[in-house]
Amino acid sequence: MKLTLIATCMFGLEKLLGEEIDALGLKRLDTMDGRVTFEGEEADIPRANIALRCAERIFIRLGQFPATTFTELFDGTKSLPWEEWIGRTDAFPVKGHSIKSGLTSVPDCQSIVKKAVVERLHDAYGIRWFEETGVKYQIEFFLFKDVVSLMIDTSGVALHKRGYRPEAGAAPLRETLAAAIALTARPREDILFWDPFCGSGTIAIEAAMIVSGRAPGLGRSFAAEQFARVPANLWQDARGEAEARIRTDCKFEVYASDIDEDILDITYENALRAGVEEYLNIFQADARKIRREDRKGTVVCNPPYGERMGEREEIERLYQQLGGSIGTFYPWQVYVLTSCDRFERLYGQRADKVKKLYNGMLPCYLYEYFRPAELREKGRKSDQHKGDWPHKRDGGRYAEKGKKPPRK
């Protein structure tokens, strides 16, 4: 039976997530900020949960309809076949979001949806009291521009929690974002992958998992493993499919270094739990003093942001010093994630590409360097008569898309 499934993600990761869905052989139906809708079957619920690196959750969408009044919300919710999933003793809590819609009160919407589901299940099972002691089916509504989507969460714990990182550094990077950054850098066996700010190792580990073919969800469980319509054999098949994709002959090499020697034990333990410790060379090093090796390589890192006022000057000095270290690494490619929209000015080089992403709720920029510095220098000189080049470049980049430039 065909199902409508929704994979949610952090803003900015929709394209990568869509490509992952395509790679599973599934048909995309729609893409909007933070979610990709696709078509699948019951067997694709475990496949998507186990395999998708950039997804935060996988939902079953039971229905979608306009809802400008509570009556429309109630009637539309009650019309959906909840009994096809929820049994007479199962739990079905409700939560959700309302964005750009007339029904702004989330608690009221929760109450209406809950009441409508109870009425539907009463008609199906002939009972008034639902003990809700069985399997948990988390219902979620998403109201956007007066259209509501009603869904059941199949993931449970968010998918960025792979299970390999019980401990992290002071500023942990979400695993899904780390995977997206690694995917953007296109890690390959014949190219050294180096994270000189590795912290607890998230970017390095995700890169090693990508190249070695290890699915992100192999080491954890999911809410839908308890669903009657998604029996154990489907999960066994999906795990078997994922395990068959693991490459035992992979020769990928990752440098995971950090100035903080104490964090490196955690890096190794996380890599061990993720099953990729053999690919990581973990060592202490100051990123401001590292030098490029005579081989093909890519630097991918997430240096400190310095969000607190007292740290800003120190962080800006760090970015300037990085320009004199990893900024000289061409022909290596360099990818730097930071919340600083002045990074190019401090680093001393215009990026070839800048992608806006979010680390949790914090807006960030992925600065990508893959051309010779001389080509970037030519572009900089051509803008000099028009004012300061970083400001001009940001304004131009965002103006073309009808967006406001980031604040300086």
Side-chain angles (χ1 to χ4, degrees):
M1 178 180 177
K2 292 295 182 182
L3 302 173
T4 300
L5 304 175
I6 296 176
T8 59
C9 64
M10 299 171 71
F11 291 138
L13 305 191
E14 298 86 0
K15 181 177 183 294
L16 290 170
L17 176 56
E19 291 171 352
E20 287 193 280
I21 291 169
D22 294 343
L24 286 178
L26 301 174
K27 180 183 177 183
R28 276 191 270 175
L29 301 176
D30 183 53
T31 300
M32 65 176 292
D33 286 350
R35 59 190 59 216
V36 179
T37 303
F38 60 103
E39 189 176 74
E41 300 176 353
E42 281 84 352
D44 296 313
I45 293 172
R47 293 180 71 229
N49 273 289
I50 291 169
L52 295 179
R53 301 181 190 278
C54 297
E56 289 295 324
R57 294 183 184 276
I58 307 299
F59 293 95
I60 306 159
R61 191 179 76 189
L62 263 69
Q64 185 179 65
F65 51 86
T68 57
T69 67
F70 288 130
T71 298
E72 289 177 338
L73 179 61
F74 180 90
D75 291 343
T77 302
K78 187 180 176 183
S79 70
L80 300 179
W82 297 101
E83 69 279 3
E84 292 182 3
W85 292 92
I86 303 171
R88 58 178 62 224
T89 63
D90 293 335
F92 48 101
V94 178
K95 62 182 179 180
H97 306 276
S98 179
I99 301 173
K100 298 180 181 179
S101 296
L103 300 179
T104 59
S105 173
V106 170
D108 285 340
C109 290
Q110 286 177 291
S111 178
I112 294 296
V113 169
K114 181 75 173 187
K115 183 178 178 181
V117 176
V118 167
E119 287 295 316
R120 174 77 186 206
L121 295 179
H122 161 68
D123 292 345
Y125 297 127
I127 55 176
R128 276 290 176 192
W129 174 255
F130 293 88
E131 58 186 68
E132 298 195 50
T133 58
V135 174
K136 179 181 175 181
Y137 289 81
Q138 178 67 62
I139 297 172
E140 185 158 330
F141 64 85
F142 179 61
L143 258 167
F144 181 68
K145 294 183 178 179
D146 296 320
V147 176
V148 63
S149 296
L150 283 158
M151 307 170 291
I152 294 174
D153 179 13
T154 72
S155 301
V157 176
L159 296 179
H160 73 264
K161 296 185 177 180
R162 320 286 206 213
Y164 66 74
R165 198 179 70 171
E167 291 186 79
L173 184 70
R174 191 173 288 191
E175 292 89 332
T176 44
L177 179 56
I181 295 167
L183 285 166
T184 300
R186 301 179 302 280
R188 300 182 292 282
E189 273 187 282
D190 60 337
I191 297 178
L192 174 66
F193 188 100
W194 191 347
D195 181 359
F197 292 93
C198 71
S200 57
T202 312
I203 293 176
I205 290 169
E206 292 292 330
M209 291 173 69
I210 290 166
V211 180
S212 64
R214 183 173 292 273
L218 272 175
R220 55 159 289 173
S221 59
F222 306 91
E225 289 185 73
Q226 305 300 316
F227 291 8
R229 279 188 58 173
V230 192
N233 67 292
L234 296 183
W235 292 95
Q236 292 167 0
D237 292 345
R239 287 192 168 93
E241 177 186 336
E243 288 168 356
R245 288 197 295 266
I246 298 175
R247 295 187 52 207
T248 57
D249 61 343
C250 182
K251 305 298 182 185
F252 188 51
E253 185 177 10
V254 180
Y255 281 3
S257 62
D258 200 284
I259 196 170
D260 180 5
E261 192 168 11
D262 293 338
I263 196 70
L264 299 180
D265 286 340
I266 294 175
T267 305
Y268 176 75
E269 291 165 4
N270 289 344
L272 189 66
R273 278 186 287 266
V276 295
E277 75 285 353
E278 64 185 288
Y279 306 111
L280 270 64
N281 184 353
I282 302 168
F283 57 95
Q284 190 274 337
D286 186 336
R288 297 167 294 187
K289 300 177 181 179
I290 63 175
R291 293 294 178 263
R292 173 175 62 85
E293 296 190 4
D294 188 20
R295 58 190 292 192
K296 292 181 180 180
T298 300
V299 172
V300 183
C301 62
N302 175 41
Y305 297 167
E307 290 300 310
R308 291 190 290 271
M309 289 296 293
E311 299 174 339
R312 187 166 299 169
E313 290 185 4
E314 181 181 352
I315 294 301
E316 290 187 351
R317 282 196 299 272
L318 170 64
Y319 292 166
Q320 290 171 338
Q321 292 165 335
L322 289 180
S325 58
I326 63 175
T328 67
F329 271 36
Y330 186 83
W332 285 27
Q333 297 184 2
V334 175
Y335 298 80
V336 182
L337 180 75
T338 173
S339 64
C340 179
D341 58 8
R342 296 179 62 244
F343 176 80
E344 291 168 296
R345 182 202 304 268
L346 297 167
Y347 187 71
Q349 295 182 37
R350 170 202 302 271
D352 291 298
K353 188 175 181 181
V354 182
K355 182 182 296 183
K356 188 171 184 180
L357 300 170
Y358 285 82
N359 187 2
M361 297 301 294
L362 180 66
C364 294
Y365 304 90
L366 181 63
Y367 296 93
E368 304 178 24
Y369 295 86
F370 41 79
R371 292 193 303 169
E374 308 81 64
L375 294 180
R376 292 193 289 270
E377 186 69 24
K378 287 180 181 178
R380 183 189 311 166
K381 288 179 179 177
S382 68
D383 285 341
Q384 281 182 346
H385 69 285
K386 298 179 181 178
D388 182 69
W389 66 263
H391 179 76
K392 167 65 175 66
R393 182 175 183 277
D394 283 340
R397 181 195 325 132
Y398 280 79
E400 287 176 5
K401 298 180 179 179
K403 299 180 181 179
K404 295 180 181 179
R407 295 179 180 176
K408 294 287 184 260

